[in-house]
Amino acid sequence: MNCLMIFDHLNDIIFIKCNNKFIEHINEIAIEDGVLTEENKSSTSIQDNVLVHLFSPVITSQRIMTCQFGNSYTTIQCYGGLKVCFDEFMGYLFVGIGAEELLKIQKNLSITIAMVRFLCGPDVYELKAKKERSEILSDLLDSYHNLRENDQAILLEAIEQLVLNPNLNTSVLQALKECVVSLITQIDCFKIHALIMVKNKFLSLYSSELAKELSPTDILFTTILTDSATKKSKISETERSDEIEDTCDEILSYQVLLSGPESSPKCLPHAIHIVPISREVNLIFFLEIGNSALSSSLYETFCHLHIMQQIQVQRDFTVMRPAYENLELAVKKVNDSLKKNKNVAIDACHKNLIKKWDIMKKKYTEFLKNSSEEALLRAETLALGFLENLKELLHLTTVDETILKSSQESVIEAAKVISEKLSSITDFVKVKAMKNFSLGSRDSLTIHKYMEDFPGLVHFIYIDRTTHRVTSPSIDFHSDKPHLLTQKKVWHLIDFALQHLQEGTMSLMWKDTTFSYAYFLWFEDSNGTPLKSSVPLTNPNKTLPVPGLLNNDFYQKLKEICFPKMAPSKIRCYEIFCIHLGLVSHPCVLEHTRRLAATIWELSGHPSHPIDLI
């Protein structure tokens, strides 16, 4: 039994996704409470009033704990092993219910918040106002959960790149470049990315000169979106032909808000076109919409306004001044970004926004000078209207249905050209996607010779957490040949290590009856010199955020905590998971791990630095 719900500040349900067992259970309780009649017992859905009736007490309690004590619940353990987890985004309460491990429920909430941000930005209410948004969210969550159970890279929230020779890489990149240059001359957009994914693996990316860099978070989200879109497509994978004319005529288009390359998400509006150019090979175009500076400052304004509202509710006035100054700066950035605007609707909305802000600013200043409760109450009242104007401005400046539709024909033609140019290597890259390389592979003398240096090594996963690229041998868990190493063991290794990482443990080694397992996370400076944190992380009273990338970069946060006096951009972070046969000693495992991390570039093609894990 599991369920995910989103509630607004009035405890009304905004979104729900649950399984049949949960529906049956809730309806049975509602009948016992007299909220439903027996006729509804076999219903395949839950009425909103039932959810509000049953969950309002705990939601209200959660809000009281937040408002009056600043100490909200994170989890509730129920009788029978059921767990209820809470998270919050822009004043909306996200509730996860299930009997799974606590970390997994928390991760699901974290992923949901990330997906909501990509689809709706700070305006979570769009999930209720626009049915298609909630449907896309539901499909995205289904795809994420399916990929998480079957794709190692998605489980780790990292990007797996296909290992090709330099000549092929150059050919693919050149084809993408020519395609983007041609597309720029045909449509009213100069900021374009073209990306090729093969079976959820990254093949190549080309970005036009003016386009803002795509972050690893954006690429990871796009992987999940592409998986969701192609599965939902009317043309099923079995029906889809490999012929160029049949595949490239199909296009799947979306408007989303990407994170951007900065350390904190910015909600940058993009039109995304997904074009299948062959079975399991997808070409994705990103068209940057509107003004990125305005989009970033609008999102910052939403964030700082939300912080101000939290401070006012909790009456924590000691941090009011810096919070107000941050909000004031964000509003100034919005104003500066709109100085050259010539759109009538945007201009009218902007003027209304500034009128409200001028009064709010005056009232906040009055409160900060003489602690006038009346001034603060007036500012709080105005903030509600100010928020609605912000939402209106967000929609006016980030939604552009025109470019989404007008660019489709040109994108399809560009995809056909790419497909023709890459037709000779399409089958090859599909095979590579199935088996990038294997520890037992003899089809590459270099790889086999390399792996001979690590006797007893069964599997490894290496991740550069600066770029979030993962290097790992392929294992066919579904082949007819028996494997001592099962998918369940690999997934357990990852879950076990990340659970301890959240508790602050960055080095682990353990055994079972068959294998020895190891996990290490470490830091280096830009010269490859090992860095050791001076900040203890294993505090039993405090846990770190859920490890991951999609909903804020956990590893970026870890850098900030461990090295408060260093710029995060000057710190590199790496992870490695290793599985050896159980007979291999711990000193040997440690020595292998060192050498593997130091020479991984021989497999990935990217130079790495030496490390010292001790």
Side-chain angles (χ1 to χ4, degrees):
M1 181 170 69
N2 57 66
C3 177
L4 168 74
M5 293 179 285
I6 305 175
F7 292 89
D8 65 10
H9 66 286
L10 297 174
N11 293 359
D12 287 333
I13 191 78
I14 298 298
F15 175 84
I16 181 170
K17 184 175 179 62
C18 57
N19 61 9
N20 290 332
K21 191 174 180 180
F22 183 85
I23 294 172
E24 292 171 8
H25 181 67
I26 292 299
N27 284 338
E28 284 176 5
I29 294 175
I31 290 169
E32 289 175 7
D33 288 358
V35 182
L36 284 180
T37 61
E38 283 287 341
E39 288 77 16
N40 299 108
K41 189 173 184 178
S42 59
S43 175
T44 56
S45 62
I46 307 173
Q47 296 178 13
D48 285 359
N49 67 308
V50 170
L51 293 169
V52 172
H53 169 77
L54 294 177
F55 288 95
S56 273
V58 71
I59 301 302
T60 302
S61 176
Q62 165 78 351
R63 295 197 186 281
I64 290 173
M65 290 295 292
T66 302
C67 299
Q68 295 189 9
F69 305 105
N71 185 25
S72 57
Y73 309 129
T74 54
T75 59
I76 296 175
Q77 181 81 37
C78 303
Y79 178 77
L82 200 66
K83 304 172 188 75
V84 183
C85 295
F86 302 91
D87 210 333
E88 188 269 347
F89 176 65
M90 292 294 169
Y92 290 80
L93 191 63
F94 289 65
V95 182
I97 302 172
E100 303 166 306
E101 298 89 349
L102 195 59
L103 182 62
K104 194 169 183 179
I105 301 173
Q106 291 174 326
K107 167 61 73 176
N108 289 340
L109 285 182
S110 176
I111 293 296
T112 304
I113 290 173
M115 296 302 175
V116 169
R117 195 183 66 241
F118 278 114
L119 292 177
C120 308
D123 188 6
V124 182
Y125 192 80
E126 275 209 329
L127 291 174
K128 189 165 186 176
K130 297 181 179 178
K131 185 181 179 182
E132 68 274 13
R133 285 291 173 190
S134 63
E135 289 175 351
I136 294 171
L137 174 60
S138 183
D139 292 338
L140 280 170
L141 294 176
D142 286 339
S143 279
Y144 166 75
H145 290 134
N146 178 61
L147 289 170
R148 188 185 189 280
E149 296 302 318
N150 296 284
D151 190 302
Q152 186 176 258
I154 300 299
L155 175 64
L156 289 158
E157 294 186 47
I159 301 162
E160 185 172 2
Q161 184 164 6
L162 293 185
V163 181
L164 302 181
N165 67 55
N167 290 335
L168 282 180
N169 282 331
T170 301
S171 298
V172 175
L173 190 63
Q174 183 61 32
L176 289 178
K177 178 180 179 180
E178 291 172 5
C179 174
V180 168
V181 170
S182 173
L183 199 56
I184 286 174
T185 63
Q186 298 174 48
I187 61 176
D188 187 23
C189 183
F190 299 95
K191 302 173 183 180
I192 302 175
H193 307 271
L195 167 68
I196 295 181
M197 301 292 298
V198 185
K199 296 181 181 177
N200 302 320
K201 292 179 175 62
F202 177 93
L203 177 60
S204 189
L205 167 69
Y206 178 79
S207 304
S208 64
E209 187 177 344
L210 297 176
K212 190 176 284 289
E213 180 185 349
L214 285 181
S215 68
T217 308
D218 295 329
I219 294 173
L220 186 58
F221 164 73
T222 303
T223 303
I224 300 168
L225 178 65
T226 302
D227 180 80
S228 171
T230 52
K231 283 180 179 176
K232 193 175 174 64
S233 172
K234 292 179 181 178
I235 303 177
S236 71
E237 194 171 285
T238 54
E239 295 171 334
R240 190 179 293 147
S241 168
D242 279 328
E243 294 298 320
I244 294 170
E245 291 78 15
D246 289 339
T247 55
C248 291
D249 284 339
E250 180 189 357
I251 185 168
L252 308 157
S253 302
Y254 299 88
Q255 284 208 9
V256 298
L257 295 156
L258 298 182
S259 295
E262 287 82 8
S263 58
S264 56
K266 296 298 181 186
C267 285
L268 306 175
H270 284 73
I272 292 184
H273 296 298
I274 301 169
V275 191
I277 60 175
S278 179
R279 185 177 292 124
E280 295 183 314
V281 180
N282 293 290
L283 175 61
I284 300 112
F285 291 97
F286 302 78
L287 280 58
E288 192 174 318
I289 300 171
N291 183 328
S292 61
L294 174 60
S295 302
S296 298
S297 54
L298 267 175
Y299 184 67
E300 287 179 19
T301 305
F302 272 99
C303 292
H304 292 303
L305 179 63
H306 175 55
I307 291 170
M308 282 290 289
Q309 291 173 327
Q310 285 183 310
I311 290 171
Q312 289 162 203
V313 167
Q314 295 173 8
R315 313 316 257 186
D316 185 10
F317 298 134
T318 57
V319 292
M320 173 73 85
R321 184 174 293 279
Y324 163 72
E325 290 172 352
N326 287 334
L327 176 59
E328 183 181 28
L329 180 60
V331 175
K332 184 179 183 301
K333 289 180 182 178
V334 171
N335 292 338
D336 292 342
S337 300
L338 286 170
K339 281 182 178 177
K340 296 181 180 180
N341 167 67
K342 295 180 181 179
N343 182 286
V344 176
I346 293 175
D347 185 57
C349 181
H350 182 218
K351 286 179 179 177
N352 287 333
L353 188 78
I354 294 307
K355 285 179 182 177
K356 289 187 176 70
W357 172 246
D358 286 341
I359 304 172
M360 283 173 63
K361 182 177 177 180
K362 182 180 178 182
K363 295 302 176 183
Y364 277 131
T365 304
E366 186 180 337
F367 173 77
L368 291 170
K369 282 183 178 179
N370 54 31
S371 301
S372 168
E373 286 287 337
E374 183 182 345
L376 184 61
L377 181 62
R378 178 65 174 144
E380 289 175 357
T381 304
L382 285 166
L384 298 176
F386 182 76
L387 179 61
E388 291 306 311
N389 278 127
L390 270 181
K391 289 180 181 180
E392 183 183 355
L393 189 57
L394 178 75
H395 297 152
L396 286 171
T397 57
T398 60
V399 177
D400 189 347
E401 293 289 344
T402 305
I403 194 170
L404 194 69
K405 294 177 181 177
S406 64
S407 58
Q408 286 184 344
E409 186 176 341
S410 298
V411 163
I412 288 172
E413 292 307 310
K416 288 180 180 179
V417 174
I418 287 278
S419 185
E420 290 170 358
K421 289 185 177 181
L422 300 183
S423 60
S424 61
I425 66 166
T426 299
D427 289 338
F428 172 71
V429 296
K430 288 180 189 177
V431 173
K432 288 293 292 181
M434 290 296 292
K435 191 176 182 180
N436 232 351
F437 65 88
S438 166
L439 293 189
S441 173
R442 290 184 177 272
D443 51 7
S444 171
L445 180 61
T446 305
I447 290 174
H448 181 64
K449 184 179 179 182
Y450 176 82
M451 297 318 302
E452 284 179 347
D453 293 335
F454 302 94
L457 179 64
V458 178
H459 189 55
F460 74 87
I461 308 164
Y462 172 87
I463 310 172
D464 179 343
R465 280 301 179 184
T466 304
T467 60
H468 297 282
R469 297 291 171 91
V470 60
T471 302
S472 180
S474 304
I475 303 178
D476 185 4
F477 293 115
H478 306 293
S479 71
D480 295 332
K481 297 178 181 179
H483 281 288
L484 283 175
L485 183 61
T486 62
Q487 179 175 327
K488 185 177 180 180
K489 285 184 179 289
V490 177
W491 262 237
H492 177 70
L493 158 68
I494 295 169
D495 288 339
F496 186 79
L498 295 184
Q499 179 181 344
H500 282 79
L501 177 61
Q502 188 184 15
E503 295 167 357
T505 302
M506 294 188 282
S507 299
L508 282 172
M509 296 178 75
W510 71 98
K511 284 188 174 186
D512 62 18
T513 55
T514 311
F515 298 111
S516 290
Y517 305 90
Y519 169 75
F520 300 97
L521 180 142
W522 71 99
F523 303 97
E524 299 173 5
D525 64 17
S526 54
N527 296 318
T529 305
L531 298 172
K532 291 189 177 181
S533 171
S534 58
V535 179
L537 294 177
T538 51
N539 182 346
N541 298 318
K542 184 179 181 180
T543 57
L544 296 163
V546 178
L549 173 64
L550 280 165
N551 185 30
N552 296 319
D553 188 340
F554 168 86
Y555 301 90
Q556 180 80 5
K557 181 68 175 175
L558 201 58
K559 291 179 190 178
E560 295 169 0
I561 294 172
C562 293
F563 306 97
K565 295 182 180 180
M566 285 185 69
S569 59
K570 295 182 179 180
I571 303 168
R572 301 176 187 270
C573 180
Y574 303 91
E575 279 182 307
I576 193 164
F577 303 76
C578 286
I579 303 178
H580 285 75
L581 293 175
L583 295 175
V584 179
S585 66
H586 281 174
C588 184
V589 170
L590 189 58
E591 191 263 339
H592 279 189
T593 307
R594 271 205 204 92
R595 288 197 293 114
L596 187 61
T599 58
I600 198 72
W601 62 271
E602 293 183 27
L603 293 177
S604 66
H606 302 288
S608 185
H609 298 291
I611 64 164
D612 182 2
L613 297 175
I614 299 179

